[in-house]
Amino acid sequence: MSGLRERKKRATREALMAAALRLALERGLEGVRVDDIAAEAGVSPRTFNNYFAGKHEAIAARHTDRIERSVALLRARPPEEPLWEALTEAMVEPWEQHAGDAHSPPPPELLASIRMLSREPALRAESLRVAFAADGALAAAIAERTGTDGSRDLYPHLVAGAATAAVQAAVGHWLRADPPIPLAPLLRDALRALAAGLPDPSI
């Protein structure tokens, strides 16, 4: 019974996140209320408040899910696989899952809506807060894989922070690209460049 309850809770949370993003893309962030999100997801506003503190958190929660998924994937990668290969695959897969066809350029109307949302200061702040708050879990998984001590060693935290920043930079570049470009190859390029030590492209 507890397993069924947990699945229902996850499904409700997913429905609320999807509804929040869908409505924000359609109407703009200011045109969306918590009541609208709850109605779109088929639940009450009180139920919404059991999951999220507000619409910004509901939209940005996808970032938390991606990091949690990346942590699980990294721990599941073959132990003999080099760290940066494992980390790259673990960081990219959740974006492929949540971004639809991440190997093709997005439709212009969808990209325009995402660009609009990305310029919202409150949503940007919430997204960055969520992304960097999750770095601790990613650093712990990196420490396990590298045999380092997450409580004493800088390395796992440095790798986690750098990888998170590389993903953020790649997504920002994807949003600015004209003409539009696919997201997944760009994420892999960013992480591989980081793994290579960011060599000077002019040399």
Side-chain angles (χ1 to χ4, degrees):
M1 183 63 71
S2 61
L4 177 60
R5 210 163 30 238
E6 285 302 313
R7 287 196 296 274
K8 285 184 176 179
K9 287 174 65 176
R10 286 197 298 270
T12 299
R13 183 175 181 273
E14 177 65 32
L16 287 167
M17 288 191 299
L21 180 58
R22 184 165 56 250
L23 290 174
L25 290 173
E26 290 174 359
R27 306 178 186 178
L29 195 58
E30 292 305 315
V32 180
R33 303 173 305 157
V34 166
D35 287 4
D36 300 327
I37 298 170
E40 181 80 1
V43 300
S44 68
R46 181 177 180 180
T47 297
F48 176 96
N49 291 329
N50 288 336
Y51 289 86
F52 302 110
K55 60 185 179 182
H56 299 95
E57 184 177 325
I59 295 172
R62 187 74 74 191
H63 293 300
T64 300
D65 289 0
R66 289 192 187 104
I67 293 294
E68 290 178 352
R69 176 68 177 154
S70 289
V71 169
L73 288 168
L74 182 59
R75 287 187 166 127
R77 300 295 298 183
E80 69 277 5
E81 188 175 30
L83 170 65
W84 280 100
E85 289 182 22
L87 184 59
T88 295
E89 294 306 313
M91 295 293 282
V92 173
E93 192 271 356
W95 285 92
E96 292 178 322
Q97 179 182 355
H98 288 148
D101 186 1
H103 295 274
S104 299
E109 63 276 8
L110 174 61
L111 185 57
S113 297
I114 297 174
R115 283 171 174 164
M116 177 188 67
L117 284 183
S118 72
R119 291 192 290 269
E120 292 282 351
L123 189 56
R124 284 174 60 88
E126 180 65 18
S127 296
L128 288 173
R129 183 193 70 78
V130 165
F132 287 104
D135 273 0
L138 184 59
I142 292 167
E144 292 170 13
R145 191 172 188 89
T146 57
T148 52
D149 186 340
S151 65
R152 294 186 305 174
D153 296 331
L154 173 63
Y155 183 78
H157 298 277
L158 185 61
V159 171
T164 299
V167 168
Q168 294 290 329
V171 172
H173 185 77
W174 174 74
L175 287 171
R176 294 187 299 271
D178 186 15
I181 57 177
L183 177 57
L186 189 62
L187 290 169
R188 284 198 168 82
D189 287 347
L191 289 162
R192 286 168 181 161
L194 183 61
L198 295 178
D200 186 343
S202 66
I203 297 176

